Amino acid sequence: MNFASDNTTGAAPEVAAALVRANSAPHAMPYGNDPLTRGLAAKFSRLFEREVAVFPVATGTAANVLGLSLALPTYGGVFCLEDSHIYGDEVTATEMYTGGARPIPLRGVDGKLLAPELAKAIGQHRPSNTHAVQPAAVSITQISEFGLVYTPGEIARLAKRAHRHKLVVHMDGARFANAVAALGCRPADITWRAGVDILSFGGTKNGCFGAEAVVVFDKARAASFLYRRQRAGHTFSKMRFLSAQLDAYVNKGLWLELARHANAMMRRLANGLARIPDIELHHMPRANLVFVNMPTAMARAIEKAGFTFYHWGNAQWHTGRLVTAFSTAAADVDGFVAAARAASSGRKPKRPMAFLPRF
Amino acid sequence: MNFASDNTTGAAPEVAAALVRANSAPHAMPYGNDPLTRGLAAKFSRLFEREVAVFPVATGTAANVLGLSLALPTYGGVFCLEDSHIYGDEVTATEMYTGGARPIPLRGVDGKLLAPELAKAIGQHRPSNTHAVQPAAVSITQISEFGLVYTPGEIARLAKRAHRHKLVVHMDGARFANAVAALGCRPADITWRAGVDILSFGGTKNGCFGAEAVVVFDKARAASFLYRRQRAGHTFSKMRFLSAQLDAYVNKGLWLELARHANAMMRRLANGLARIPDIELHHMPRANLVFVNMPTAMARAIEKAGFTFYHWGNAQWHTGRLVTAFSTAAADVDGFVAAARAASSGRKPKRPMAFLPRF
Amino acid sequence: MNFASDNTTGAAPEVAAALVRANSAPHAMPYGNDPLTRGLAAKFSRLFEREVAVFPVATGTAANVLGLSLALPTYGGVFCLEDSHIYGDEVTATEMYTGGARPIPLRGVDGKLLAPELAKAIGQHRPSNTHAVQPAAVSITQISEFGLVYTPGEIARLAKRAHRHKLVVHMDGARFANAVAALGCRPADITWRAGVDILSFGGTKNGCFGAEAVVVFDKARAASFLYRRQRAGHTFSKMRFLSAQLDAYVNKGLWLELARHANAMMRRLANGLARIPDIELHHMPRANLVFVNMPTAMARAIEKAGFTFYHWGNAQWHTGRLVTAFSTAAADVDGFVAAARAASSGRKPKRPMAFLPRF
Amino acid sequence: MNFASDNTTGAAPEVAAALVRANSAPHAMPYGNDPLTRGLAAKFSRLFEREVAVFPVATGTAANVLGLSLALPTYGGVFCLEDSHIYGDEVTATEMYTGGARPIPLRGVDGKLLAPELAKAIGQHRPSNTHAVQPAAVSITQISEFGLVYTPGEIARLAKRAHRHKLVVHMDGARFANAVAALGCRPADITWRAGVDILSFGGTKNGCFGAEAVVVFDKARAASFLYRRQRAGHTFSKMRFLSAQLDAYVNKGLWLELARHANAMMRRLANGLARIPDIELHHMPRANLVFVNMPTAMARAIEKAGFTFYHWGNAQWHTGRLVTAFSTAAADVDGFVAAARAASSGRKPKRPMAFLPRF
């Protein structure tokens, strides 16, 4: 009964089985020279409907900053939201992986980084001015850290603007599966077809033990990747155990099936909570993450009923962050809603609650 | 029938079972806030007979350079053998993790870096001279990349010299288990009791899927570790899956049992090969790795018989690198020896073969 | 007739003479082992009324980031204004000199970074949270990039808050002389007595060819400085030529005399401009820099009259940045004011002009 | 009477006069937007008989590592002699400026890094092996740190080998003038015509206060230079004072005239010393630097006679490093020789003295 994060889950049965199966071979050549790893290129190329370069890593941060290191010179900057994972939750990983490039925090509009804001930021950051960090990339998170889903059109407009200024477009897809499931689109529609150049394709939060893939849509751009991964200590000698996870994860649409379940559980949760008058949802979630405001007493009561989730605030109001996952049970969702309802005053608060995001 | 490296193996059954077991819990708090990870400190403190700080990571390179990053300022240097993994096989990982510190390659004597050579190197590298990289650490590999085992006395003398000049002593213990098993000593005897400050405690090569532990013997020195691991992208959200491996690995002496088997297989292999007149062993191995010279035709014949191993050289002689592992079967060892014997000329070569190390 | 910046000036006669004099000795030992450099410690210690460590460098950026490198671990952050030189005008120098630490841009209130804003920023940046950049320093510019002067009390309150959280307090004093002259205080009053730990003591803009001093008030903190300066390529072999400039600059109060003149010229300029109804001053300047709004046509007319200054804006209004220097002539100031007055409509604009800062 | 280094000298009269002259203009636009700096491109293009990009900096280390930063990715290495300035005298500058690339020390043959040694080193450093630092550049010092002069042919053969493997060829020309003067060649002959891609063109040791030029022969390669120089803090706001030095230095062949004098003084010195039986010269110098062995008592006696030079060794023999400069007086050279002769035993030592280089 944990709604704190989708990373509190374990691995999906199919993924766990694949790992055990990969371990049944007595030997495999190391560092990716094994059949499972070698097979990923074809699998991901099919998935994305074009030839791509794909590299397994074990964490989302590694995927993000290895990807960004392909795009950022030491004097370059990457635009991102101030609430993004790369800006706020990876300490100084971008700086470390690029030899000193800079993530530049933008405010966004309603939680998203869209083309007009990017255009403004580029203008303010003085391309070609030798005193200024040079805009070199833009990174968005799909679904965003607030749970919002970028539409293909939003991405395309952002990427078009980025490419006009020779910026590389990076997507942190820690919850990419939830976005594709929410939009009902093809993976290509919100990546290369919309102008995304490099994708962190997340697996960990949606059913893997710890496996992500860096997908580079223009293979030439990835020429230095293996050196970069090695110096970062992210080349697994027994890489087949990462690849086995990814292989099973994308096999027969498992990844989307898992994400659809997570999204469905969030809808069920949100629908339930939306009917409680003293709960305010940040937005009506299409994917598997939402922020909500609720009376502090209600947050405590839900917790007391056995449900774990992050929440913070003042004596009167709290903001909570709720995440569902591939393994969330409908009964747990219903239990959460029931606990909230039981603690409700039954009345709408007079003033709209302040939304207090913080992770 | 793979003698190329111990990293071609899979995971030991006990380790695999522990991973499956860890996955049976529906939820666990992320980033190390789980019982398995929290339990490691006590387990490793018992193992090392003193209170230690211990941090799981997934690769040996990560363990090495995160450990070294605790010791090296940006203007500092770490002495190591020119054949060491940190110098020759991690691209520029040390530089990356330290903000630009330098691994300084030394030649060593008979494959080892001992106190006299260190003393000489320190003298030549001009401590306190503001034009020179400042000696800040020394790193040795136990067992070495050539398969040699440092004795407690050798380590103690090296560390004493190092500490006299305020150098931190780091040990790359990718095959630490094989060293402890070979020496029949206690883990403490070749680490902190001999003066080692930071240890990369290897698990991957000896039965884990991918799990190593950075062990810091003076806990105060580790104060910044978690920030450093996070910025490196080496903090697993589902860290329990690393910790489960390490937990099973050190449980009831499994790690030493596995290593003892690997060492025994190497002894069996070396004993067999030593009796073949046109094979020359680099040294009589106590642990699980050795280099050998043999006629090129013999190397090819062994390979043809189905045995994989690294070898290189000229038309007449080849040098091979042979590694046994926790899972090596006696029958395979015997098969290897038999294939070599079958290809032998039965005569000792007139001139001693040149030893050609290269990995 | 240049009001674009104080860095368009040459060197003051006394400084130029000192350089020529230093060149009359046929030889001097290099890298700072000369009498002029050795004498700086005593001179600056007298100037600051306590024993300080002082290091000559040639540029303000070098002074800033070498100073910051003493305070910032690779996982640390330095709070600064988003308009500060270290954030906006040094590309990624802070990142480069620290191995990847991060300057964190804050908005400030009325152009200053004061204690309450710092307190809020520290809270938001989650000290001890291992996912977050760790607050390690705060940097203010005295006088600020907008020309504002921090009072001793403002600095003391900021530093007190910083020290409560173990943040190092850095001051970019590119125009430190103008601040001391404006406040009529002692150099100590706005540095160590108010809690400043590290100062970039500027000389270039106020009469040197190219000379700044990094002043570290707690000498122990500077232990690694010489290694850091050397690896940055900022250790001059003929360092006496930097030291000669600094020596002459602080001799018999020359630096303050020069700054008082620059400030007086700015007062004369501001008093003149303040009487022109369609000019709006950002603030009534106490030092030597101010921003002004004026009709675009007026900006062009002043320029046509032979006065150089930075200005930008739209078709109707422009914002200009005006800087006076040690060598500004009163006649030039009067000429500027006269040119502005001649282009004035004589009427106050109906709506207050928007202030548009940008450098 | 200082033979310790050419960096103990001051500035040549013509250079000093140029600086004073540059200061007579009341204003100049900063950061290189001044006529003197703008004029350098044409001057250096004439000097090198092709269009080049040229950038003033103030120190040799800055010139070296800014130049190298154009050639080295974060996973790359630069081959150099273990005695080179970039390896032994710049702390970790190369690492810092490149985001972690590595200088790889080679032994050289008779003090030089020639094509065969480079070829061997490339082979050993495993290009395209993703575990290895990738060879990306080679750097030689002309004249070398031992005072040796690379011939055009030696450079051409080295560069040809380097380019075959796509290595960039860098030349540390801290004493480039002495080399050109010694060879009597054109600057182009030992740079781009022989295959050099990037040159640190030294001025400081040969008559400037502190001025070097980074010369990039393929202008396209220099596209990012200004951003790199700015983030390094090596962009002078009053850059005309660097450019004035360089302008005067290359004007009417002054630089070569100064170097010819220094070389002539060294010949005079070497000729004198060569006739003293218990002095052994490392080589018969063509440029302005040489190492010599002498009895320890002789070294002390010379010093007592008022001559400063670096020397070290044991109780019996010392090795000295002697450097002449543009300002060395013949009388001082003769005095040095006389002092040595006066302390000579008049006999050749029985065994050849061991050559003990160290700086």
Side-chain angles (χ1 to χ4, degrees):
Chain A
M1 305 206 298
N2 189 314
F3 292 85
S5 179
D6 31 9
N7 66 20
T8 67
T9 60
E14 296 87 342
V15 171
L19 193 75
V20 170
R21 201 160 51 241
N23 194 32
S24 66
H27 287 288
M29 290 309 280
Y31 304 119
N33 295 314
D34 65 274
L36 276 168
T37 306
R38 290 198 161 147
L40 289 180
K43 281 217 155 181
F44 275 76
S45 294
R46 263 198 308 280
L47 197 64
F48 283 97
E49 305 174 52
R50 69 173 279 171
E51 210 185 345
V52 303
V54 58
F55 306 97
V57 293
T59 72
T61 294
N64 282 338
V65 289
L66 280 168
L68 287 171
S69 78
L70 298 174
L72 290 173
T74 56
Y75 50 86
V78 50
F79 294 112
C80 56
L81 287 185
E82 61 184 357
D83 309 295
S84 64
H85 202 267
I86 66 164
Y87 191 71
D89 291 284
E90 304 181 354
V91 189
T92 50
T94 299
E95 290 88 340
M96 175 179 173
Y97 273 67
T98 58
R102 178 181 295 177
I104 301 172
L106 304 179
R107 303 257 149 147
V109 176
D110 295 335
K112 285 189 185 172
L113 171 50
L114 301 179
E117 166 126 18
L118 177 65
K120 198 178 122 215
I122 293 172
Q124 286 171 340
H125 282 79
R126 300 175 288 163
S128 303
N129 180 318
T130 56
H131 297 239
V133 175
Q134 290 303 294
V138 58
S139 178
I140 56 171
T141 308
Q142 173 77 314
I143 64 169
S144 87
E145 286 80 1
F146 286 123
L148 301 168
V149 183
Y150 284 87
T151 66
E154 286 170 342
I155 298 168
R157 285 187 293 275
L158 183 84
K160 194 176 166 191
R161 174 63 65 167
H163 289 159
R164 191 181 303 169
H165 296 276
K166 299 190 198 297
L167 271 61
V168 173
V169 180
H170 173 264
M171 178 177 278
D172 175 352
R175 295 186 181 92
F176 184 72
N178 302 94
V180 175
L183 291 164
C185 66
R186 307 182 73 89
D189 296 340
I190 52 170
T191 55
W192 65 269
R193 258 191 220 124
V196 171
D197 299 301
I198 302 171
L199 168 70
S200 297
F201 178 90
T204 308
K205 291 184 194 319
N206 190 36
C208 292
F209 290 97
E212 316 269 316
V214 180
V215 181
V216 184
F217 294 105
D218 171 1
K219 287 180 69 173
R221 194 191 295 283
S224 65
F225 193 90
L226 294 181
Y227 306 117
R228 296 179 186 277
R229 189 177 61 185
Q230 179 74 7
R231 78 191 284 264
H234 279 290
T235 304
F236 277 50
S237 57
K238 301 183 176 178
M239 201 179 296
R240 63 192 176 285
F241 295 126
L242 289 186
S243 304
Q245 296 177 57
L246 291 170
D247 182 86
Y249 181 63
V250 300
N251 202 36
K252 295 186 188 162
L254 174 64
W255 65 299
L256 287 176
E257 192 184 307
L258 296 171
R260 272 185 222 114
H261 176 81
N263 291 1
M265 288 301 102
M266 176 49 74
R267 261 197 314 279
R268 187 181 187 112
L269 179 63
N271 286 337
L273 297 179
R275 287 192 211 100
I276 300 174
D278 42 3
I279 281 188
E280 185 182 61
L281 281 86
H282 174 241
H283 65 286
M284 205 58 207
R286 301 178 64 183
N288 70 321
L289 190 160
V290 78
F291 285 78
V292 296
N293 291 328
M294 57 175 66
T296 304
M298 184 192 288
R300 302 232 162 96
I302 296 170
E303 221 163 38
K304 215 165 188 178
F307 298 94
T308 305
F309 68 113
Y310 293 113
H311 57 97
W312 58 90
N314 57 30
Q316 200 179 358
W317 297 106
H318 262 215
T319 295
R321 175 180 178 258
L322 300 174
V323 194
T324 54
F326 72 94
S327 58
T328 302
D332 286 342
V333 170
D334 298 345
F336 189 102
V337 174
R341 203 184 303 121
S344 169
S345 67
R347 274 166 296 123
K348 220 182 166 62
K350 276 177 196 150
R351 284 176 305 180
M353 291 169 269
F355 176 57
L356 305 161
R358 190 172 152 282
F359 301 99
Chain B
M1 306 206 296
N2 190 313
F3 292 86
S5 179
D6 32 8
N7 66 22
T8 66
T9 59
E14 297 87 343
V15 171
L19 194 73
V20 170
R21 202 161 50 242
N23 194 30
S24 66
H27 286 287
M29 289 310 279
Y31 304 118
N33 295 314
D34 65 274
L36 276 168
T37 307
R38 291 198 161 147
L40 289 180
K43 281 217 154 180
F44 275 76
S45 295
R46 263 198 309 279
L47 196 66
F48 283 97
E49 306 174 49
R50 68 172 280 170
E51 210 185 344
V52 303
V54 58
F55 306 97
V57 293
T59 73
T61 294
N64 282 339
V65 291
L66 280 170
L68 287 170
S69 78
L70 299 175
L72 290 172
T74 57
Y75 51 88
V78 51
F79 294 112
C80 56
L81 286 185
E82 60 184 358
D83 309 295
S84 63
H85 201 266
I86 65 165
Y87 191 70
D89 291 285
E90 304 181 354
V91 192
T92 49
T94 300
E95 290 87 340
M96 176 179 171
Y97 274 68
T98 59
R102 179 182 294 177
I104 301 172
L106 304 179
R107 302 257 149 148
V109 176
D110 295 334
K112 285 188 187 173
L113 171 49
L114 301 178
E117 166 126 18
L118 177 65
K120 199 177 121 215
I122 293 171
Q124 287 171 339
H125 281 79
R126 301 175 289 163
S128 302
N129 181 318
T130 55
H131 297 238
V133 174
Q134 290 302 294
V138 58
S139 178
I140 57 172
T141 308
Q142 173 79 313
I143 65 169
S144 88
E145 285 80 2
F146 286 123
L148 301 168
V149 183
Y150 285 87
T151 66
E154 287 170 341
I155 298 166
R157 284 187 293 276
L158 182 85
K160 194 177 166 190
R161 174 63 65 167
H163 289 158
R164 192 181 303 168
H165 295 276
K166 299 192 197 298
L167 271 61
V168 173
V169 180
H170 172 262
M171 178 177 279
D172 176 351
R175 295 185 181 93
F176 184 72
N178 302 94
V180 174
L183 291 163
C185 68
R186 308 181 73 89
D189 295 342
I190 52 170
T191 53
W192 65 270
R193 260 192 218 122
V196 171
D197 299 302
I198 302 171
L199 169 70
S200 296
F201 178 91
T204 308
K205 291 183 195 317
N206 191 37
C208 292
F209 290 97
E212 316 270 316
V214 181
V215 181
V216 184
F217 295 106
D218 172 1
K219 287 180 67 173
R221 194 190 295 282
S224 64
F225 192 91
L226 294 180
Y227 306 118
R228 296 180 185 277
R229 189 176 61 184
Q230 179 75 7
R231 77 191 283 265
H234 280 289
T235 303
F236 278 50
S237 57
K238 300 182 176 178
M239 201 179 293
R240 64 192 177 284
F241 295 126
L242 289 185
S243 304
Q245 296 177 58
L246 290 170
D247 182 85
Y249 181 62
V250 300
N251 202 36
K252 295 186 189 162
L254 174 65
W255 66 298
L256 287 176
E257 194 183 306
L258 297 170
R260 272 185 222 113
H261 176 81
N263 290 1
M265 289 302 102
M266 175 48 74
R267 261 197 315 279
R268 188 180 186 113
L269 179 64
N271 285 337
L273 298 178
R275 287 193 211 98
I276 300 173
D278 43 2
I279 281 188
E280 186 182 60
L281 282 84
H282 174 242
H283 67 285
M284 206 56 209
R286 303 179 64 183
N288 69 321
L289 188 160
V290 78
F291 285 79
V292 297
N293 290 330
M294 58 175 65
T296 304
M298 184 191 289
R300 301 231 163 97
I302 297 170
E303 223 162 38
K304 215 165 186 178
F307 299 93
T308 305
F309 67 114
Y310 292 114
H311 58 97
W312 58 90
N314 57 31
Q316 201 178 0
W317 298 107
H318 262 215
T319 296
R321 175 179 178 261
L322 301 174
V323 195
T324 53
F326 72 93
S327 59
T328 303
D332 287 342
V333 169
D334 297 345
F336 189 101
V337 173
R341 203 184 303 122
S344 170
S345 68
R347 275 168 294 122
K348 220 182 165 58
K350 277 177 196 150
R351 284 177 303 181
M353 292 168 268
F355 176 58
L356 304 162
R358 191 171 151 281
F359 301 100
Chain C
M1 306 207 296
N2 190 315
F3 292 85
S5 179
D6 31 10
N7 66 20
T8 67
T9 60
E14 296 87 342
V15 171
L19 193 74
V20 170
R21 201 161 52 240
N23 194 32
S24 65
H27 286 288
M29 290 309 280
Y31 303 119
N33 294 315
D34 65 274
L36 275 168
T37 306
R38 289 199 162 146
L40 289 180
K43 280 217 155 179
F44 274 76
S45 294
R46 263 200 307 280
L47 196 66
F48 282 98
E49 307 174 50
R50 69 173 279 171
E51 209 185 346
V52 303
V54 58
F55 306 97
V57 294
T59 72
T61 295
N64 282 339
V65 289
L66 280 168
L68 287 171
S69 78
L70 300 174
L72 290 173
T74 56
Y75 50 87
V78 50
F79 293 112
C80 55
L81 287 185
E82 60 183 358
D83 308 295
S84 64
H85 201 266
I86 66 165
Y87 191 72
D89 291 284
E90 304 182 352
V91 190
T92 50
T94 300
E95 290 87 339
M96 176 180 172
Y97 273 67
T98 58
R102 177 181 296 176
I104 302 171
L106 304 180
R107 303 257 149 148
V109 176
D110 294 335
K112 286 189 185 172
L113 172 49
L114 301 178
E117 166 126 17
L118 177 65
K120 198 177 122 214
I122 294 171
Q124 286 171 339
H125 282 79
R126 300 174 289 161
S128 303
N129 181 318
T130 56
H131 297 239
V133 175
Q134 290 302 295
V138 58
S139 178
I140 56 171
T141 307
Q142 173 77 313
I143 64 169
S144 88
E145 286 79 3
F146 286 122
L148 301 169
V149 183
Y150 285 87
T151 65
E154 285 171 343
I155 298 167
R157 284 187 292 277
L158 182 84
K160 194 176 166 192
R161 175 62 65 167
H163 289 159
R164 193 181 301 169
H165 296 276
K166 299 191 198 298
L167 271 62
V168 173
V169 180
H170 172 264
M171 179 177 278
D172 176 351
R175 296 187 181 92
F176 183 72
N178 302 94
V180 174
L183 290 163
C185 68
R186 308 181 72 89
D189 295 341
I190 52 171
T191 55
W192 65 269
R193 259 192 218 121
V196 171
D197 298 301
I198 302 172
L199 169 69
S200 297
F201 178 91
T204 308
K205 290 183 194 321
N206 190 38
C208 292
F209 290 96
E212 315 269 317
V214 180
V215 181
V216 184
F217 294 106
D218 171 1
K219 287 179 68 172
R221 194 191 295 282
S224 64
F225 192 91
L226 295 181
Y227 307 116
R228 295 179 186 277
R229 190 177 60 183
Q230 179 75 7
R231 78 191 284 264
H234 280 289
T235 303
F236 278 49
S237 57
K238 301 183 176 179
M239 201 180 294
R240 63 191 177 285
F241 295 126
L242 289 186
S243 304
Q245 296 177 58
L246 290 170
D247 182 86
Y249 181 63
V250 301
N251 202 35
K252 295 186 188 162
L254 174 65
W255 67 298
L256 286 176
E257 194 182 306
L258 297 171
R260 270 185 224 114
H261 175 80
N263 290 2
M265 289 300 102
M266 176 48 75
R267 260 198 313 279
R268 187 181 186 112
L269 180 63
N271 285 337
L273 297 179
R275 287 192 210 98
I276 300 175
D278 43 2
I279 282 188
E280 185 182 62
L281 282 85
H282 174 242
H283 67 285
M284 205 57 207
R286 301 179 63 182
N288 69 321
L289 190 161
V290 78
F291 284 80
V292 296
N293 289 330
M294 58 176 66
T296 303
M298 185 191 288
R300 302 232 161 97
I302 297 170
E303 222 163 39
K304 214 165 189 177
F307 298 93
T308 305
F309 68 113
Y310 293 114
H311 57 97
W312 58 90
N314 56 31
Q316 198 178 0
W317 297 107
H318 261 216
T319 295
R321 176 178 177 260
L322 301 173
V323 194
T324 54
F326 71 94
S327 59
T328 302
D332 286 343
V333 170
D334 297 346
F336 190 102
V337 173
R341 203 183 302 121
S344 169
S345 68
R347 274 167 295 121
K348 221 180 164 59
K350 274 176 196 149
R351 283 177 305 179
M353 292 170 266
F355 177 57
L356 305 161
R358 190 171 153 281
F359 301 99
Chain D
M1 304 206 299
N2 190 313
F3 292 85
S5 178
D6 32 9
N7 65 22
T8 67
T9 59
E14 296 87 343
V15 172
L19 193 73
V20 169
R21 203 160 50 241
N23 194 31
S24 66
H27 286 288
M29 289 310 279
Y31 304 118
N33 294 316
D34 64 274
L36 277 168
T37 305
R38 290 200 161 145
L40 289 180
K43 282 217 154 180
F44 274 76
S45 293
R46 265 199 306 280
L47 197 66
F48 283 98
E49 307 174 50
R50 69 172 280 171
E51 210 186 345
V52 303
V54 57
F55 306 97
V57 294
T59 74
T61 294
N64 282 338
V65 291
L66 280 168
L68 287 171
S69 78
L70 299 175
L72 291 172
T74 57
Y75 50 88
V78 50
F79 293 112
C80 55
L81 287 185
E82 61 184 356
D83 309 295
S84 64
H85 201 267
I86 66 165
Y87 191 70
D89 291 284
E90 303 181 352
V91 191
T92 49
T94 300
E95 290 87 339
M96 176 179 171
Y97 273 67
T98 58
R102 179 181 295 177
I104 301 171
L106 304 179
R107 301 257 150 147
V109 176
D110 294 334
K112 285 188 186 173
L113 172 50
L114 301 178
E117 167 125 17
L118 177 65
K120 199 178 121 215
I122 293 171
Q124 287 172 339
H125 281 80
R126 300 174 289 161
S128 302
N129 180 318
T130 56
H131 297 239
V133 174
Q134 289 304 293
V138 58
S139 178
I140 56 171
T141 308
Q142 172 79 312
I143 65 168
S144 87
E145 285 80 2
F146 286 123
L148 301 167
V149 182
Y150 285 87
T151 66
E154 286 171 341
I155 298 167
R157 286 188 291 277
L158 182 84
K160 195 176 165 191
R161 175 62 64 167
H163 290 158
R164 192 180 303 168
H165 296 276
K166 299 190 197 298
L167 271 60
V168 172
V169 180
H170 173 262
M171 178 176 279
D172 176 351
R175 295 185 182 93
F176 183 73
N178 303 94
V180 174
L183 291 163
C185 67
R186 308 181 73 89
D189 294 341
I190 52 170
T191 54
W192 65 270
R193 260 192 219 122
V196 171
D197 299 302
I198 302 171
L199 169 70
S200 297
F201 178 90
T204 308
K205 290 183 195 317
N206 191 37
C208 292
F209 291 97
E212 317 269 315
V214 180
V215 182
V216 184
F217 295 106
D218 172 1
K219 287 179 67 173
R221 196 191 293 284
S224 64
F225 192 91
L226 295 181
Y227 306 117
R228 295 180 186 277
R229 189 176 61 184
Q230 178 76 6
R231 77 191 284 265
H234 279 289
T235 303
F236 278 49
S237 57
K238 301 182 176 179
M239 201 180 293
R240 64 191 178 285
F241 294 125
L242 289 186
S243 304
Q245 296 178 58
L246 291 170
D247 182 86
Y249 181 64
V250 301
N251 202 36
K252 297 186 188 162
L254 174 65
W255 66 297
L256 287 176
E257 193 184 307
L258 297 171
R260 272 185 222 112
H261 176 80
N263 290 1
M265 289 300 103
M266 175 49 73
R267 263 198 312 279
R268 187 181 187 112
L269 179 64
N271 285 337
L273 297 179
R275 288 191 210 100
I276 300 174
D278 43 1
I279 280 188
E280 186 182 59
L281 282 85
H282 174 241
H283 67 285
M284 205 56 207
R286 302 178 65 183
N288 69 321
L289 188 160
V290 78
F291 285 79
V292 297
N293 290 330
M294 58 175 66
T296 303
M298 184 191 288
R300 302 232 163 97
I302 297 170
E303 223 163 38
K304 214 163 187 178
F307 299 93
T308 304
F309 68 114
Y310 292 113
H311 58 97
W312 58 90
N314 57 31
Q316 202 179 358
W317 297 108
H318 261 215
T319 295
R321 175 178 178 262
L322 300 174
V323 194
T324 53
F326 72 93
S327 59
T328 303
D332 286 343
V333 169
D334 298 345
F336 190 101
V337 174
R341 203 184 302 121
S344 170
S345 67
R347 274 168 294 122
K348 220 180 164 61
K350 276 176 197 153
R351 284 177 303 179
M353 291 169 269
F355 177 59
L356 305 161
R358 190 171 153 281
F359 301 100

